[in-house]
Structures are given as structure tokens and as C-alpha cells.
Amino acid sequence: MSSIVLADDHPFIRSAVSQVLELAGHSIAACVANGDEALAAVAEHRPDIVILDVKMPGRDGIEVLSAMHADGDTTPVVLLTAGLTDEQLIEALRCNVRGIVFKDGAEDRLVECLEAVAAGRRFVDQELLNQALAESLKPPPADPLSCLAPREREIAGYVGKGLRNREIGDAMGITEGTVKVYLNSIYNKLYLRNRTALALIVMAP
């Protein structure tokens, strides 16, 4: 069975999900409470699968998935959620999420999802795929930065003001390395090659 890193900010949910997975024969490499701890646990334990709650303090599950994708980490990711916005769903699929499971009735569905993901398949409800298709058919937004998460937009704004990575980190209370991870994600989303191109977009009227 699979080794798993589980990230959820609610201790009760972490405990309940861990018990369900262990009963199904999986091993829990680490249980953490936020996105930054999840990235550290993935780097330390190199699990077979990562399960991320979408809503967590600081960096949420979508941002963790995006950071892993930007860093070239191909560890399969499963999102555990009460619901996703259209933007979150599109970003998750773009970053090659392997599974999405709703918390409501997650006991059986999560085990089924992990079996599919371990076998190399994707496990996403047809309802969510239809939602993603409908969103993808909408006309593109006028604001090119609209696809960015709030913290990514904040970093893009600082880049537009000419701040360097260390200055941005100091302003936001994060490390310079974390700023670089966010910038890589921004470049991928906007199909840019460098911060100069990003600054031009931010400063465009």
C-alpha cells in the first residue's frame, strides 16, 4: 500500500482520515496542519501520495499543489475539500491533480480514490469535470492577473514596484526561497519567462 503525507488544519479530521487510511492498509508518513509544513514533509519523506485539504492557514492546498508542480515534483496529489471555486478547479487540473474527494462522505471515496491514483489513474467526479469544462469555455478575462491566487497577486504587485525577492520576503514575512517558488508558479500560470515580463504586465494600464 501507499505511504502518505496528510495535510489538514483540523486535528479531528487528520485523526479520522489517518485511521481510515491505516485500516485500509496505507502508512501515514506525516500528518501536518498547513501548507508550508506539507511541503517540508513531502521533501523529507518522499511519500507515494500527498493528501491536501484545500482550505488551510497560510498556503492552501491549491497553492501547495501549484508550488510542487512548479518545482517539477510529480508526487501524486489528492485534494480533500468541501468545495472548489471554478478558478481553484481549473488550477488544480492544470497542475495535474490526481484526485479530488469531497469531505462529505469521504471515508469510502477517499480509499477508492487512493486505489485509483496508486494505479496511475485520475479520480475526479464527473460533476467537477463538467464544472471545469464550463469554466474553460468562458471568454478570457480582461485582467491577465485574474488567474493568480491572492498571495501571488501581492507578489506580482511588489515585482511591479521593482522590489527584489529578499525585499518582497521581508514585506510579506516569508523567506526568499518561498518568494522564488511563488514566482515560478506565477510565470507558469502567465506563460512568462522572467520578472521583467511580469513587471510589464503589472504596470500595463
Side-chain angles (χ1 to χ4, degrees), residues 8-39:
D8 194 296
D9 60 320
H10 295 288
F12 176 78
I13 293 179
R14 288 201 306 273
S15 176
V17 171
S18 295
Q19 290 180 21
V20 168
L21 297 182
E22 288 173 341
L23 286 173
H26 299 285
S27 63
I28 306 300
C31 272
V32 298
N34 60 59
D36 289 326
E37 290 178 356
L39 287 173

mmCIF file of all heavy atoms in Angstrom, residues 8-39:
data_model
loop_
_atom_site.group_PDB
_atom_site.id
_atom_site.type_symbol
_atom_site.label_atom_id
_atom_site.label_comp_id
_atom_site.label_asym_id
_atom_site.label_seq_id
_atom_site.Cartn_x
_atom_site.Cartn_y
_atom_site.Cartn_z
ATOM 1 N N ASP A 8 -4.008 18.811 6.878
ATOM 2 C CA ASP A 8 -5.324 19.372 7.171
ATOM 3 C C ASP A 8 -5.206 20.147 8.469
ATOM 4 O O ASP A 8 -4.560 19.682 9.412
ATOM 5 C CB ASP A 8 -6.386 18.274 7.302
ATOM 6 C CG ASP A 8 -7.805 18.825 7.260
ATOM 7 O OD1 ASP A 8 -8.172 19.600 8.177
ATOM 8 O OD2 ASP A 8 -8.547 18.491 6.323
ATOM 9 N N ASP A 9 -5.810 21.337 8.526
ATOM 10 C CA ASP A 9 -5.633 22.169 9.717
ATOM 11 C C ASP A 9 -6.541 21.764 10.874
ATOM 12 O O ASP A 9 -6.403 22.308 11.969
ATOM 13 C CB ASP A 9 -5.837 23.653 9.382
ATOM 14 C CG ASP A 9 -7.227 23.942 8.841
ATOM 15 O OD1 ASP A 9 -7.727 23.133 8.045
ATOM 16 O OD2 ASP A 9 -7.798 24.987 9.202
ATOM 17 N N HIS A 10 -7.448 20.821 10.670
ATOM 18 C CA HIS A 10 -8.343 20.375 11.743
ATOM 19 C C HIS A 10 -7.834 19.059 12.338
ATOM 20 O O HIS A 10 -7.815 18.039 11.644
ATOM 21 C CB HIS A 10 -9.766 20.191 11.230
ATOM 22 C CG HIS A 10 -10.399 21.467 10.770
ATOM 23 N ND1 HIS A 10 -10.811 22.451 11.638
ATOM 24 C CD2 HIS A 10 -10.674 21.928 9.529
ATOM 25 C CE1 HIS A 10 -11.324 23.466 10.953
ATOM 26 N NE2 HIS A 10 -11.243 23.173 9.672
ATOM 27 N N PRO A 11 -7.425 19.053 13.614
ATOM 28 C CA PRO A 11 -6.883 17.831 14.232
ATOM 29 C C PRO A 11 -7.852 16.650 14.156
ATOM 30 O O PRO A 11 -7.427 15.509 13.933
ATOM 31 C CB PRO A 11 -6.637 18.249 15.685
ATOM 32 C CG PRO A 11 -6.490 19.729 15.641
ATOM 33 C CD PRO A 11 -7.394 20.197 14.537
ATOM 34 N N PHE A 12 -9.150 16.904 14.324
ATOM 35 C CA PHE A 12 -10.120 15.813 14.295
ATOM 36 C C PHE A 12 -10.148 15.150 12.920
ATOM 37 O O PHE A 12 -10.181 13.913 12.816
ATOM 38 C CB PHE A 12 -11.516 16.344 14.645
ATOM 39 C CG PHE A 12 -12.591 15.293 14.554
ATOM 40 C CD1 PHE A 12 -12.757 14.355 15.560
ATOM 41 C CD2 PHE A 12 -13.428 15.223 13.447
ATOM 42 C CE1 PHE A 12 -13.740 13.371 15.466
ATOM 43 C CE2 PHE A 12 -14.405 14.253 13.347
ATOM 44 C CZ PHE A 12 -14.563 13.325 14.365
ATOM 45 N N ILE A 13 -10.132 15.959 11.871
ATOM 46 C CA ILE A 13 -10.156 15.400 10.519
ATOM 47 C C ILE A 13 -8.868 14.646 10.232
ATOM 48 O O ILE A 13 -8.887 13.552 9.645
ATOM 49 C CB ILE A 13 -10.383 16.514 9.478
ATOM 50 C CG1 ILE A 13 -11.792 17.086 9.634
ATOM 51 C CG2 ILE A 13 -10.179 15.975 8.057
ATOM 52 C CD1 ILE A 13 -12.117 18.197 8.673
ATOM 53 N N ARG A 14 -7.722 15.198 10.653
ATOM 54 C CA ARG A 14 -6.453 14.486 10.467
ATOM 55 C C ARG A 14 -6.511 13.120 11.127
ATOM 56 O O ARG A 14 -6.089 12.116 10.555
ATOM 57 C CB ARG A 14 -5.286 15.296 11.039
ATOM 58 C CG ARG A 14 -4.913 16.519 10.242
ATOM 59 C CD ARG A 14 -3.490 16.975 10.547
ATOM 60 N NE ARG A 14 -3.236 17.191 11.953
ATOM 61 C CZ ARG A 14 -3.461 18.332 12.596
ATOM 62 N NH1 ARG A 14 -3.992 19.364 11.953
ATOM 63 N NH2 ARG A 14 -3.179 18.458 13.876
ATOM 64 N N SER A 15 -7.009 13.089 12.356
ATOM 65 C CA SER A 15 -7.080 11.830 13.096
ATOM 66 C C SER A 15 -8.026 10.837 12.417
ATOM 67 O O SER A 15 -7.690 9.661 12.246
ATOM 68 C CB SER A 15 -7.541 12.096 14.536
ATOM 69 O OG SER A 15 -7.708 10.894 15.249
ATOM 70 N N ALA A 16 -9.204 11.331 12.016
ATOM 71 C CA ALA A 16 -10.196 10.445 11.402
ATOM 72 C C ALA A 16 -9.702 9.896 10.067
ATOM 73 O O ALA A 16 -9.824 8.693 9.787
ATOM 74 C CB ALA A 16 -11.513 11.201 11.214
ATOM 75 N N VAL A 17 -9.136 10.772 9.234
ATOM 76 C CA VAL A 17 -8.642 10.325 7.930
ATOM 77 C C VAL A 17 -7.482 9.354 8.102
ATOM 78 O O VAL A 17 -7.396 8.338 7.398
ATOM 79 C CB VAL A 17 -8.209 11.530 7.078
ATOM 80 C CG1 VAL A 17 -7.500 11.073 5.805
ATOM 81 C CG2 VAL A 17 -9.419 12.382 6.714
ATOM 82 N N SER A 18 -6.599 9.632 9.044
ATOM 83 C CA SER A 18 -5.467 8.735 9.292
ATOM 84 C C SER A 18 -5.950 7.342 9.669
ATOM 85 O O SER A 18 -5.422 6.333 9.181
ATOM 86 C CB SER A 18 -4.577 9.291 10.407
ATOM 87 O OG SER A 18 -3.983 10.505 10.029
ATOM 88 N N GLN A 19 -6.969 7.266 10.537
ATOM 89 C CA GLN A 19 -7.493 5.972 10.958
ATOM 90 C C GLN A 19 -8.089 5.214 9.775
ATOM 91 O O GLN A 19 -7.864 4.008 9.617
ATOM 92 C CB GLN A 19 -8.547 6.166 12.050
ATOM 93 C CG GLN A 19 -7.974 6.637 13.381
ATOM 94 C CD GLN A 19 -9.043 6.827 14.436
ATOM 95 O OE1 GLN A 19 -10.139 6.265 14.335
ATOM 96 N NE2 GLN A 19 -8.738 7.615 15.455
ATOM 97 N N VAL A 20 -8.855 5.928 8.944
ATOM 98 C CA VAL A 20 -9.461 5.288 7.771
ATOM 99 C C VAL A 20 -8.380 4.734 6.841
ATOM 100 O O VAL A 20 -8.472 3.598 6.358
ATOM 101 C CB VAL A 20 -10.355 6.304 7.009
ATOM 102 C CG1 VAL A 20 -10.751 5.740 5.641
ATOM 103 C CG2 VAL A 20 -11.594 6.633 7.825
ATOM 104 N N LEU A 21 -7.341 5.527 6.604
ATOM 105 C CA LEU A 21 -6.289 5.103 5.681
ATOM 106 C C LEU A 21 -5.472 3.945 6.247
ATOM 107 O O LEU A 21 -5.102 3.018 5.512
ATOM 108 C CB LEU A 21 -5.376 6.284 5.364
ATOM 109 C CG LEU A 21 -6.043 7.462 4.646
ATOM 110 C CD1 LEU A 21 -5.020 8.545 4.337
ATOM 111 C CD2 LEU A 21 -6.740 7.009 3.372
ATOM 112 N N GLU A 22 -5.179 3.997 7.535
ATOM 113 C CA GLU A 22 -4.407 2.909 8.138
ATOM 114 C C GLU A 22 -5.200 1.612 8.142
ATOM 115 O O GLU A 22 -4.632 0.532 7.919
ATOM 116 C CB GLU A 22 -3.988 3.302 9.555
ATOM 117 C CG GLU A 22 -2.896 4.374 9.570
ATOM 118 C CD GLU A 22 -2.578 4.894 10.957
ATOM 119 O OE1 GLU A 22 -3.431 4.708 11.858
ATOM 120 O OE2 GLU A 22 -1.497 5.489 11.143
ATOM 121 N N LEU A 23 -6.510 1.695 8.381
ATOM 122 C CA LEU A 23 -7.348 0.500 8.316
ATOM 123 C C LEU A 23 -7.377 -0.092 6.912
ATOM 124 O O LEU A 23 -7.536 -1.303 6.734
ATOM 125 C CB LEU A 23 -8.782 0.824 8.772
ATOM 126 C CG LEU A 23 -8.976 1.039 10.279
ATOM 127 C CD1 LEU A 23 -10.398 1.518 10.566
ATOM 128 C CD2 LEU A 23 -8.691 -0.261 11.039
ATOM 129 N N ALA A 24 -7.199 0.781 5.916
ATOM 130 C CA ALA A 24 -7.177 0.316 4.523
ATOM 131 C C ALA A 24 -5.785 -0.174 4.116
ATOM 132 O O ALA A 24 -5.599 -0.595 2.967
ATOM 133 C CB ALA A 24 -7.619 1.446 3.595
ATOM 134 N N GLY A 25 -4.834 -0.121 5.042
ATOM 135 C CA GLY A 25 -3.514 -0.659 4.765
ATOM 136 C C GLY A 25 -2.465 0.344 4.354
ATOM 137 O O GLY A 25 -1.324 -0.021 4.075
ATOM 138 N N HIS A 26 -2.809 1.624 4.327
ATOM 139 C CA HIS A 26 -1.832 2.652 3.961
ATOM 140 C C HIS A 26 -1.020 3.056 5.192
ATOM 141 O O HIS A 26 -1.471 2.906 6.327
ATOM 142 C CB HIS A 26 -2.534 3.879 3.382
ATOM 143 C CG HIS A 26 -3.322 3.589 2.146
ATOM 144 N ND1 HIS A 26 -2.738 3.367 0.923
ATOM 145 C CD2 HIS A 26 -4.670 3.464 1.943
ATOM 146 C CE1 HIS A 26 -3.662 3.129 0.021
ATOM 147 N NE2 HIS A 26 -4.842 3.188 0.610
ATOM 148 N N SER A 27 0.173 3.613 4.957
ATOM 149 C CA SER A 27 1.000 4.103 6.056
ATOM 150 C C SER A 27 1.058 5.627 6.001
ATOM 151 O O SER A 27 1.191 6.204 4.919
ATOM 152 C CB SER A 27 2.416 3.524 5.973
ATOM 153 O OG SER A 27 3.069 3.936 4.793
ATOM 154 N N ILE A 28 0.949 6.270 7.164
ATOM 155 C CA ILE A 28 0.973 7.723 7.249
ATOM 156 C C ILE A 28 2.399 8.165 7.568
ATOM 157 O O ILE A 28 2.896 7.975 8.672
ATOM 158 C CB ILE A 28 0.000 8.239 8.326
ATOM 159 C CG1 ILE A 28 -1.406 7.680 8.091
ATOM 160 C CG2 ILE A 28 -0.011 9.761 8.325
ATOM 161 C CD1 ILE A 28 -2.007 8.052 6.752
ATOM 162 N N ALA A 29 3.064 8.742 6.580
ATOM 163 C CA ALA A 29 4.443 9.206 6.778
ATOM 164 C C ALA A 29 4.488 10.455 7.647
ATOM 165 O O ALA A 29 5.413 10.633 8.445
ATOM 166 C CB ALA A 29 5.102 9.487 5.431
ATOM 167 N N ALA A 30 3.473 11.320 7.485
ATOM 168 C CA ALA A 30 3.429 12.556 8.280
ATOM 169 C C ALA A 30 2.033 13.134 8.233
ATOM 170 O O ALA A 30 1.349 13.057 7.204
ATOM 171 C CB ALA A 30 4.439 13.577 7.763
ATOM 172 N N CYS A 31 1.606 13.723 9.365
ATOM 173 C CA CYS A 31 0.348 14.473 9.460
ATOM 174 C C CYS A 31 0.715 15.903 9.839
ATOM 175 O O CYS A 31 1.324 16.129 10.882
ATOM 176 C CB CYS A 31 -0.565 13.887 10.527
ATOM 177 S SG CYS A 31 -1.640 12.586 9.943
ATOM 178 N N VAL A 32 0.327 16.869 9.022
ATOM 179 C CA VAL A 32 0.704 18.266 9.270
ATOM 180 C C VAL A 32 -0.526 19.160 9.172
ATOM 181 O O VAL A 32 -1.581 18.732 8.690
ATOM 182 C CB VAL A 32 1.789 18.728 8.285
ATOM 183 C CG1 VAL A 32 3.063 17.902 8.469
ATOM 184 C CG2 VAL A 32 1.307 18.618 6.842
ATOM 185 N N ALA A 33 -0.352 20.419 9.605
ATOM 186 C CA ALA A 33 -1.508 21.296 9.774
ATOM 187 C C ALA A 33 -1.578 22.454 8.795
ATOM 188 O O ALA A 33 -2.549 23.198 8.806
ATOM 189 C CB ALA A 33 -1.541 21.849 11.207
ATOM 190 N N ASN A 34 -0.563 22.634 7.944
ATOM 191 C CA ASN A 34 -0.624 23.749 7.000
ATOM 192 C C ASN A 34 0.219 23.450 5.770
ATOM 193 O O ASN A 34 0.950 22.450 5.723
ATOM 194 C CB ASN A 34 -0.201 25.060 7.664
ATOM 195 C CG ASN A 34 1.217 25.024 8.199
ATOM 196 O OD1 ASN A 34 2.161 24.801 7.438
ATOM 197 N ND2 ASN A 34 1.382 25.238 9.503
ATOM 198 N N GLY A 35 0.146 24.356 4.791
ATOM 199 C CA GLY A 35 0.792 24.123 3.516
ATOM 200 C C GLY A 35 2.303 24.098 3.574
ATOM 201 O O GLY A 35 2.946 23.265 2.921
ATOM 202 N N ASP A 36 2.906 24.995 4.342
ATOM 203 C CA ASP A 36 4.360 25.027 4.437
ATOM 204 C C ASP A 36 4.892 23.744 5.079
ATOM 205 O O ASP A 36 5.912 23.191 4.651
ATOM 206 C CB ASP A 36 4.829 26.245 5.238
ATOM 207 C CG ASP A 36 4.628 27.547 4.473
ATOM 208 O OD1 ASP A 36 4.765 27.533 3.240
ATOM 209 O OD2 ASP A 36 4.328 28.575 5.110
ATOM 210 N N GLU A 37 4.186 23.261 6.117
ATOM 211 C CA GLU A 37 4.585 22.002 6.742
ATOM 212 C C GLU A 37 4.415 20.838 5.765
ATOM 213 O O GLU A 37 5.203 19.886 5.782
ATOM 214 C CB GLU A 37 3.750 21.756 8.003
ATOM 215 C CG GLU A 37 4.061 22.703 9.153
ATOM 216 C CD GLU A 37 3.171 22.452 10.360
ATOM 217 O OE1 GLU A 37 2.264 21.593 10.268
ATOM 218 O OE2 GLU A 37 3.388 23.109 11.398
ATOM 219 N N ALA A 38 3.403 20.929 4.910
ATOM 220 C CA ALA A 38 3.186 19.876 3.918
ATOM 221 C C ALA A 38 4.352 19.795 2.942
ATOM 222 O O ALA A 38 4.857 18.703 2.642
ATOM 223 C CB ALA A 38 1.883 20.126 3.158
ATOM 224 N N LEU A 39 4.814 20.946 2.443
ATOM 225 C CA LEU A 39 5.946 20.957 1.512
ATOM 226 C C LEU A 39 7.204 20.403 2.180
ATOM 227 O O LEU A 39 7.967 19.648 1.559
ATOM 228 C CB LEU A 39 6.191 22.374 1.001
ATOM 229 C CG LEU A 39 5.176 22.913 -0.013
ATOM 230 C CD1 LEU A 39 5.457 24.376 -0.304
ATOM 231 C CD2 LEU A 39 5.212 22.098 -1.298
#
